[in-house]
Amino acid sequence: KQEVTQIPAALSVPEGENLVLNCSFTDSAIYNLQWFRQDPGKGLTSLLLIQSSQREQTSGRLNASLDKSSGRSTLYIAASQPGDSATYLCAAGGSYIPTFGRGTSLIVHP
Amino acid sequence: DVKVTQSSRYLVKRTGEKVFLECVQDMDHENMFWYRQDPGLGLRLIYFSYDVKMKEKGDIPEGYSVSREKKERFSLILESASTNQTSMYLCASSSPGLAGPRVGQFFGPGTRLTVL
């Protein structure tokens, strides 16, 4: 059974820092790896999706990488801003049902 | 712009009431999902559906049922609401094998249900 772990569980950084969020998964037979953002009391917003044949995806200040062989994905956030404060979840996509990590709660303070 | 909508953002019900949560997607996705999210427990899958009138139990189906009569609509039913069903309920949809902007899983805004 697929297990997804996100480390750290919580992170607090000053504005302007570049930071890396980690996601590891136990079964490398995934279809894709998706990163989400969740604001308090809201649904999940898709940030980036990496297909299993890809190595990385970029959107603005966000860059996500995927290394299937090691079972790892990272989300890189450049020049963090207070508006980036949220919980970030990753999901390893299977044939029908993705497996979610518990998320990393990020606070970017001014 | 892809969209998943849920019928209510906030809902307050009494113990024993029958509760309907509705979810609609406009992306022509085959798969639809219902999750609940609780602090410290993460996202837990209640039910999913991979086609009209098809449903599969997830990790925590007890106390819930679902209905999918049309491709775009997936309903979650609490037959007799209990206080331990107080939670955030999230609907999602996806379609396997796609490329482009409709690939991956898309979520609705969530329904915060309180059962008194």
Side-chain angles (χ1 to χ4, degrees):
Chain A
K1 183 183 175 184
Q2 178 76 273
E3 293 182 5
V4 177
T5 304
Q6 291 188 247
I7 294 173
L11 189 60
S12 180
V13 300
E15 182 176 6
E17 274 203 11
N18 300 324
L19 49 96
V20 174
L21 307 182
N22 296 295
C23 171
S24 61
F25 47 94
T26 55
D27 185 348
S28 62
I30 62 172
Y31 281 58
N32 55 54
L33 194 293
Q34 193 168 7
W35 283 93
F36 297 87
R37 168 186 174 136
Q38 186 176 30
D39 294 293
K42 303 286 180 65
L44 279 66
T45 299
S46 181
L47 296 173
L48 290 166
L49 181 143
I50 312 172
Q51 298 281 19
S52 61
S53 58
Q54 298 174 322
R55 296 283 293 185
E56 65 178 337
Q57 283 286 330
T58 298
S59 176
R61 294 183 293 108
L62 305 179
N63 175 275
S65 67
L66 175 63
D67 184 345
K68 281 179 57 178
S69 62
S70 66
R72 297 176 68 178
S73 176
T74 61
L75 179 66
Y76 175 83
I77 303 176
S80 57
Q81 303 170 357
D84 294 330
S85 298
T87 298
Y88 292 81
L89 294 94
C90 67
S95 56
Y96 283 108
I97 305 169
T99 301
F100 285 82
R102 293 285 184 93
T104 293
S105 177
L106 173 66
I107 296 175
V108 181
H109 49 87
Chain B
D1 194 21
V2 296
K3 188 167 284 187
V4 180
T5 57
Q6 295 184 227
S7 50
S8 304
R9 289 284 286 119
Y10 300 95
L11 209 52
V12 180
K13 296 292 182 181
R14 299 216 172 264
T15 302
E17 281 193 75
K18 191 169 186 176
V19 181
F20 294 86
L21 303 182
E22 304 282 336
C23 175
V24 178
Q25 52 97 1
D26 67 358
M27 293 168 282
D28 200 34
H29 279 168
E30 286 82 10
N31 303 333
M32 296 190 74
F33 307 79
W34 275 107
Y35 297 90
R36 63 178 284 177
Q37 187 178 35
D38 302 285
L41 296 178
L43 276 171
R44 292 182 291 169
L45 181 65
I46 304 171
Y47 269 96
F48 77 100
S49 169
Y50 54 90
D51 202 351
V52 175
K53 296 190 185 295
M54 305 304 288
K55 60 185 179 183
E56 293 286 341
K57 294 179 180 179
D59 300 318
I60 51 164
E62 296 78 19
Y64 303 94
S65 62
V66 290
S67 172
R68 193 165 180 203
E69 297 296 318
K70 294 185 178 182
K71 188 175 186 179
E72 67 271 19
R73 188 179 298 269
F74 192 35
S75 302
L76 180 69
I77 303 154
L78 287 66
E79 295 288 344
S80 178
S82 64
T83 55
N84 62 14
Q85 293 179 310
T86 292
S87 186
M88 170 69 96
Y89 289 87
L90 294 166
C91 174
S93 71
S94 71
S95 193
L98 286 181
R102 289 197 298 133
V103 70
Q105 201 171 45
F106 293 85
F107 280 80
T111 296
R112 171 68 65 181
L113 172 66
T114 301
V115 182
L116 302 175

